[in-house]
Amino acid sequence: MSFDGTFTHAMVAELQHNLIGGRISKIQQPFKNELVLTVRSNRTNYPLLLSANPLYSRIQTTNIRFANPDKPANFVMSLRKKIDGAIISEIKQINNDRIVVLTLETKDELGYSISFKLIMEIMGRYSNVVLVDQDNLIVDLIKHVPSSLNRYRILMPGQEYVFPPTTGKKNPFEDFSDTDLQDIRGNFEGIDKDTENELNYRLDHSEIKRVAFREFFKEINQKPYPNIVKNDQKQKFYPIKYLSASEDADHYPSLSEMLDKFYQDRAQTDRVKSNGQNLLAVVNGVLKKDYAKIKHLKKDLAKTEKMDQYRLYGELLTTFMHEVKPNANKVELTNYYNNEQIEIPLDVRLTASENAQKYFKTYQKLKKSIAHIDEQLTQTQEEIDYLESVLYQIGESQLDNLLEIKDELIAGGYLSKKSQTKKKKQSTKEVGNKYLSSTGDLITVGQNNVQNDQLSLKIAKKDFIWLHVKNIPGSHVIISDNNPSETTLLEAANIAAFYSKAKNSSNVNVDYVPVKKLKKPNGAKPGFVIYEGQKTLVVTPDSQLVEQLKQNYLDSKDK
């Protein structure tokens, strides 16, 4: 189901239980459309997420950690000034609509009690988070909506706050008539298609429809059963057990924990896509130029195939100069290498000798150009290979790794230094993702080219085993063992194939060598190494195996 009014009702009940009486101790805006308030309640910190993301708008507490941007947004500065330290005295839903109002009590600069309302409007692309003062004037909001965009509701600081227009439908948690049940979505507010289907299912299987209808909403109030159901590769979340849905459901302790699981991968992908758009545009732009350059260079190289013919023309013209008639545009001479007749084009403006010298010069020019063209082809192809690896890494990257990729592109001259992120304190973050083989060997995977270099050339011991897919962009993989078992080698090869451009292929070739056999040529791009004496394994990437090896490592950390 979607985050409809019925689900909002259940979520508000959960938030009321956890947050009423809590104090706002921290305010963050990690992303453009998402706000996180850390609420200290009952000796527990609850990060409250208010998301106005067009695709994932919602309100929930979350266990996902968010990093602060280098520069706080204006909206955050307004909130910190007005409601930092405020107490949440009330959380309510407007009818059964997707609007949640948090009433906040605090004190002004003179110590007088004042109140604010933080209003979460969960409305897809029209979602918003609005701070309203006790005079019902907008202090600030996450999305400004001037009159040019909406004449009915001007959502700008200083304007009077107006709730979205109501539908006039009934609240299904309150009183209703039997005739209302004939058109559930038409008569009741805040019910999406999935909830309507569930209600109709229950009504059809009940002798007394009125009782079945009331019991459904009573169950949401009293017996939440947060669960996610997967059907046909699609997932849906529900606040209680939906009898019309599949019985194969994953249950969660709370609605918020369920939403963390449901939205985490989707939201992460969306954020990476949003933050990676500029990087993708830069890399694709350079690649487009490089592909055109390769095409041009190959055309130039094809011209050099005729250079021996031009040399022959010059030799024959020099030898048989007396046979060339003045102002002729061609001449037929005997090729003394095979005694065959050959026709030689001539420039009518030049003498026989001058034509011969022209062919010799063209021959020398083409001969000298071969080395330059070959060098340019090699350099351009190396850049293409490098940028394709970066392109793959951007697509597979987590958000924090995008910053490392961005700095890598700046260092390579592909991005302006003006776009470089503010330098932070030295990170204590470990390099690479960790896995544990079935036989207990540590396997580490680089997440970008900078990490690949660090992992393979600085961190790994010389007798450790290095793996990489053959001739395909992918991550460097290190087995922290000088004599791993065949099982560990196959599992590490599977990880290498999974973290490569061949992750959706079968029978992927993966090379492996001791780290000491790796060499990085002078001036080589990040992540590029050469090696010899490798052995090759053939594997088919298995996502379940990779996940299990990841869990092996996490379990070992908990012991």
Side-chain angles (χ1 to χ4, degrees), residues 139-266:
V139 177
D140 208 346
L141 60 169
I142 208 164
K143 296 178 184 177
H144 290 195
V145 183
S147 58
S148 59
L149 297 179
N150 191 327
R151 292 184 178 276
Y152 174 77
R153 295 181 73 219
I154 302 174
L155 297 175
M156 295 291 290
Q159 293 289 325
E160 182 178 2
Y161 177 76
V162 177
F163 281 106
T166 61
T167 61
K169 297 179 183 179
K170 293 184 177 181
N171 186 339
F173 287 91
E174 298 175 355
D175 197 19
F176 61 92
S177 66
D178 290 340
T179 57
D180 294 331
L181 305 183
Q182 297 174 7
D183 182 8
I184 293 175
R185 291 186 75 190
N187 292 320
F188 293 102
E189 184 176 40
I191 294 179
D192 72 354
K193 187 65 176 177
D194 288 326
T195 301
E196 181 187 40
N197 290 339
E198 173 65 11
L199 285 166
N200 284 327
Y201 179 88
R202 294 193 179 205
L203 298 182
D204 290 342
H205 290 77
S206 174
E207 294 182 2
I208 306 176
K209 297 181 182 296
R210 183 182 186 87
V211 172
F213 187 85
R214 190 179 299 280
E215 284 298 317
F216 174 82
F217 291 99
K218 183 178 178 180
E219 188 177 347
I220 288 178
N221 274 331
Q222 298 179 358
K223 300 178 182 178
Y225 185 83
N227 65 99
I228 295 177
V229 174
K230 185 175 182 180
N231 282 323
D232 300 326
Q233 304 301 314
K234 292 183 179 180
Q235 290 185 330
K236 292 185 178 181
F237 60 84
Y238 302 103
I240 61 173
K241 184 69 176 176
Y242 272 33
L243 304 179
S244 59
S246 169
E247 294 183 1
D248 185 18
D250 294 328
H251 172 245
Y252 296 86
S254 68
L255 297 171
S256 291
E257 289 176 73
M258 177 184 71
L259 293 182
D260 269 353
K261 178 63 177 178
F262 185 85
Y263 282 116
Q264 184 171 12
D265 292 341
R266 292 169 173 80

Side-chain angles (χ1 to χ4, degrees), residues 113-124:
S113 295
I114 55 173
S115 65
F116 292 92
K117 294 187 185 300
L118 191 62
I119 303 171
M120 176 78 236
E121 299 178 355
I122 306 169
M123 298 180 175

